[in-house]
């Protein structure tokens, strides 16, 4: 059976479901219109489908870089229109010169065509890309990232019922979100590999090696912190949520010896934030989302090295350098019930990097407007050769159910992270529940069509 059922198609590929799925689902509902099919799903499964079509719109996270840097040109040869929104192009360590190097490493803006759009987290990123005079300069727009707005009053209904269940289960728990490079699922050498370090380049090699050491020490500090909080607050549960790129099994192996600690990636981040009493982090974007929700934030920052410190999240909340400072700050906030406010100087610094923190700004509305403009200018989506079908994908899903146990055994014995957690099979009931809520929020009625265990689409009459 053919996947394509409408005259025009927009693709929303998702890599990390827990991080990217909800905001893309909302955008899909916003962009639904007659004769259009909005397709969402696992990016690995959508990729071969996009290569068998012409004239689709692709809302992507990293079009020039990653595992397949050649795919951008392939997309353009097929007439696809690109809207680029990087998931990680706002949060970098070091100073602004290093941020520019990272922005260039993640996206070679000079290779993008004039009709493509680049959505940036803030004005700093937009101004840098425009300074390079690319063909798409007029289409580089500081939209902010819609994910940062999910906890706002406009969308919080999506998470209220789940948050209530979590609060009933854990009480007034302490939420700790980690972003530990030393625990990356790809290995402790991830920085050396991702930066393609040349051993002969002494200066750069030394910088990255020193950063690896910094990250290893930081991981140790967080283990100490969790143990300390368990000792200091015997009446409180502690929930640890590792970054999607971390190997959760290492946390589980160490933290199972500490009382009242739960390590999990389950559920929606915003539900956990809404249910928690306080967030403790160390350079994690979760701090931004906690700011939107209105939760107290503690930035645990035991070591200072401006080369490796992550600027944006560290501007939020209260910074603590020692374990006793963290526990005493939790007690002070608990006693007063007051959430420390963001001062004007820090607010201005933050807004340059992430414009969502301006309450009058809506990343959802801006990006919806960009996609709508592309829709207005689009040609009909047509197949290249045989139309895309999901027969082979359905067969793969069926086989996957029988082989999941063997993959689990393989991961246990070989201590490898298979990446299965990044996009688990769709929960149809949960998607229908969320679409119903989004329809109430937007006043827009849509239909949901499930095509496989990891692909579905949104249409409207």
């Amino acid at each position: 059976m053919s996947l394509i059922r409408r005259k025009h198609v927009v693709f929303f590929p998702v890599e990390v479901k827990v991080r990217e799925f909800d905001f893309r689902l909302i955008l899909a509902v916003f962009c639904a219109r007659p004769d259009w099919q909005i397709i969402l799903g696992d990016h690995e499964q959508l990729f071969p489908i996009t290569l068998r079509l012409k004239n689709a719109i692709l809302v992507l996270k990293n079009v020039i870089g990653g595992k397949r840097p050649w795919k951008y040109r392939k997309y353009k040869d097929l007439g696809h229109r690109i809207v680029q929104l990087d998931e990680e192009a706002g949060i970098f360590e070091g100073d602004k010169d290093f941020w520019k190097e990272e922005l260039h490493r993640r996206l070679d803006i000079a290779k993008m065509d004039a009709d493509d759009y680049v959505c940036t987290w803030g004005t700093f990123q937009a101004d840098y890309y425009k300074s390079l005079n690319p063909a798409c300069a007029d289409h580089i727009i500081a939209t902010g990232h819609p994910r940062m707005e999910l906890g706002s009053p406009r969308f919080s209904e999506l998470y209220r019922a789940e948050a209530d269940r979590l609060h009933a289960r854990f009480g007034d728990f302490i939420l700790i979100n980690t972003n530990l490079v030393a625990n990356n699922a790809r290995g402790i050498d991830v920085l050396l590999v991702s930066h393609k370090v040349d051993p002969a380049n002494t200066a750069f090699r030394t910088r990255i090696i020193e950063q690896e050491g910094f990250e290893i020490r930081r991981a140790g500090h967080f283990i100490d912190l969790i143990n300390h909080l368990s000792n200091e607050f015997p009446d409180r549960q502690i929930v640890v949520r590792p970054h999607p790129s971390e190997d959760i099994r290492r946390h589980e192996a160490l933290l199972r010896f500490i009382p009242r600690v739960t390590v999990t990636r389950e559920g929606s981040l915003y539900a956990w934030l809404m249910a928690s009493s306080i967030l403790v982090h160390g350079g994690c974007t979760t701090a931004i989302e906690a700011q939107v929700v209105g939760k107290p934030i503690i930035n645990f920052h035991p070591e200072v090295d401006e080369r490796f410190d992550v600027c944006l999240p560290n501007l939020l909340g209260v910074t603590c350098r020692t374990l006793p400072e963290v526990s005493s700050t939790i007690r002070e906030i608990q006693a007063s019930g007051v959430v420390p406010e963001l001062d004007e100087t820090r607010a201005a610094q933050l807004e340059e990097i992430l414009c969502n923190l301006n309450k009058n700004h809506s990343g959802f509305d801006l990006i919806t407007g960009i996609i709508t403009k592309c829709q207005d200018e689009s040609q009909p989506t047509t197949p290249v050769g045989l139309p895309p079908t999901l027969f082979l994908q359905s067969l793969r899903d069926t086989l996957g159910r029988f082989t999941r146990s063997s993959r689990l055994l393989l991961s246990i014995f070989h201590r490898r992270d298979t990446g299965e957690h990044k996009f688990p099979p769709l929960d149809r009931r949960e998607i229908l529940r969320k679409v119903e809520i989004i329809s109430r929020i937007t006043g827009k009625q849509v239909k949901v069509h499930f095509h496989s265990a990891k692909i579905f689409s949104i249409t409207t009459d």
Side-chain angles (χ1 to χ4, degrees):
M1 182 174 63
S2 177
L3 168 66
I4 308 305
R5 301 179 178 183
R6 293 292 189 273
K7 187 177 180 180
H8 303 274
V9 178
V10 179
F11 283 95
F12 280 98
V14 177
E15 181 183 9
V16 181
K17 188 169 177 283
V18 70
R19 179 177 67 183
E20 305 164 33
F21 185 81
D22 285 355
F23 86 85
R24 290 179 183 268
L25 180 60
I26 293 171
L27 284 173
V29 175
F30 274 135
C31 296
R33 55 202 284 189
D35 289 331
W36 282 85
Q37 184 176 2
I38 318 297
I39 301 177
L40 301 92
D42 179 6
H43 74 137
E44 290 289 351
Q45 295 192 9
L46 289 183
F47 174 63
I49 296 171
T50 60
L51 297 182
R52 297 180 64 184
L53 295 169
K54 294 181 68 174
N55 302 323
I57 298 171
L58 311 182
V59 183
L60 303 176
K61 61 167 282 186
N62 195 359
V63 295
I64 304 175
K67 297 178 182 177
R68 302 186 182 100
W70 49 267
K71 68 182 179 181
Y72 173 78
R73 200 65 263 158
K74 184 71 173 176
Y75 285 152
K76 299 309 296 182
D77 290 343
L78 290 167
H80 293 328
R81 192 78 179 270
I82 304 295
V83 178
Q84 155 82 5
L85 173 64
D86 200 330
E87 288 299 316
E88 301 173 35
I91 313 298
F92 299 128
E93 69 272 17
D95 58 18
K96 289 185 175 181
D97 287 337
F98 189 74
W99 298 356
K100 292 176 182 179
E101 291 179 24
E102 286 294 285
L103 287 169
H104 182 73
R105 184 177 70 84
R106 293 192 62 80
L107 175 66
D108 188 348
I109 195 79
K111 293 181 179 177
M112 295 195 71
D113 289 353
D115 66 340
D116 293 327
Y117 281 89
V118 175
C119 304
T120 70
W121 289 38
T123 55
F124 173 82
Q125 300 94 325
D127 290 344
Y128 168 68
Y129 283 140
K130 288 180 180 179
S131 73
L132 301 176
N133 297 315
C136 63
D138 291 340
H139 288 169
I140 300 172
I141 300 172
T143 59
H145 199 300
R147 173 163 55 94
M148 305 305 171
E149 299 171 13
L150 290 172
S152 67
R154 185 182 185 186
F155 298 109
S156 60
E157 185 187 350
L158 280 169
Y159 310 105
R160 175 52 58 197
E162 184 183 354
D164 289 344
R165 289 193 299 271
L166 291 173
H167 190 269
R169 178 182 171 191
F170 291 98
D172 293 324
F173 64 92
I174 299 167
L175 179 63
I176 300 179
N177 264 60
T178 62
N179 184 11
L180 302 175
V181 176
N183 188 39
N184 193 283
R186 290 184 289 166
I188 198 170
D189 59 348
V190 64
L191 288 175
L192 295 159
V193 173
S194 62
H195 286 284
K196 300 177 181 177
V197 170
D198 178 359
N201 186 340
T202 304
F204 188 67
R205 167 172 47 80
T206 299
R207 184 194 190 282
I208 302 301
I209 287 289
E210 289 175 353
Q211 186 174 359
E212 289 276 13
F214 175 84
E215 292 294 345
I216 291 168
R217 293 190 299 276
R218 194 164 71 92
H221 288 308
F222 265 86
I223 299 299
D224 291 341
L225 171 69
I226 295 164
N227 186 61
H228 173 77
L229 293 179
S230 177
N231 293 337
E232 289 290 308
F233 298 96
D235 59 335
R236 305 281 284 276
Q237 296 286 321
I238 299 169
V239 175
V240 179
R241 284 182 61 86
H243 188 276
S245 67
E246 289 188 64
D247 187 342
I248 193 171
R249 294 164 307 171
R250 293 177 190 156
H251 283 290
E252 292 169 337
L254 287 170
L255 300 181
R256 65 191 175 92
F257 294 97
I258 303 175
R260 301 176 312 285
V261 173
T262 299
V263 182
T264 182
R265 282 199 183 102
E266 295 177 5
S268 301
L269 169 62
Y270 277 104
W272 285 101
L273 285 170
M274 291 165 67
S276 66
S277 60
I278 195 165
L279 170 73
V280 182
H281 78 102
C284 182
T285 56
T286 306
I288 304 162
E289 292 146 316
Q291 181 76 19
V292 174
V293 172
K295 286 293 172 178
I297 303 164
I298 291 179
N299 170 31
F300 179 52
H301 202 49
E303 279 196 52
V304 178
D305 192 322
E306 293 181 356
R307 297 174 301 167
F308 312 134
D309 291 336
V310 181
C311 172
L312 177 55
N314 292 347
L315 293 171
L316 295 163
V318 178
T319 296
C320 297
R321 305 291 185 195
T322 67
L323 302 181
E325 281 182 21
V326 175
S327 51
S328 64
T329 301
I330 291 175
R331 290 191 178 94
E332 288 171 11
I333 292 173
Q334 185 176 6
S336 67
V338 175
V339 178
E341 293 186 2
L342 187 64
D343 64 59
E344 292 183 6
T345 302
R346 287 188 175 189
Q349 289 177 284
L350 285 163
E351 195 170 325
E352 181 187 20
I353 308 168
L354 180 69
C355 45
N356 301 85
L357 292 171
N358 182 327
K359 294 181 179 179
N360 298 318
H361 183 97
S362 172
F364 276 108
D365 292 343
L366 285 170
I367 294 176
T368 298
I370 289 169
I371 298 171
T372 299
K373 189 172 188 304
C374 292
Q375 289 175 298
D376 292 339
E377 299 167 354
S378 69
Q379 299 295 317
T381 303
T382 57
V384 178
L386 293 175
T389 68
L390 290 172
F391 172 74
L392 291 177
Q393 189 55 60
S394 298
L395 179 62
R396 177 181 171 183
D397 291 339
T398 302
L399 292 173
R401 286 193 289 271
F402 291 104
T403 59
R404 194 163 292 134
S405 58
S406 62
R407 286 198 303 271
L408 176 61
L409 287 172
L410 182 67
S411 68
I412 291 171
F413 285 109
H414 291 272
R415 304 300 295 168
R416 292 183 60 217
D417 189 326
T418 62
E420 289 275 318
H421 67 276
K422 287 190 174 182
F423 200 109
L426 299 169
D427 183 336
R428 297 189 177 198
R429 210 168 146 189
E430 180 67 5
I431 290 171
L432 292 173
R433 184 191 71 83
K434 287 184 175 180
V435 168
E436 182 183 355
I437 295 172
I438 296 166
S439 293
R440 287 203 300 270
I441 293 169
T442 62
K444 196 168 189 177
Q445 298 302 311
V446 298
K447 295 178 181 178
V448 181
H449 312 272
F450 293 97
H451 305 290
S452 76
K454 296 190 177 184
I455 298 174
F456 71 105
S457 64
I458 300 287
T459 62
T460 188
D461 294 331

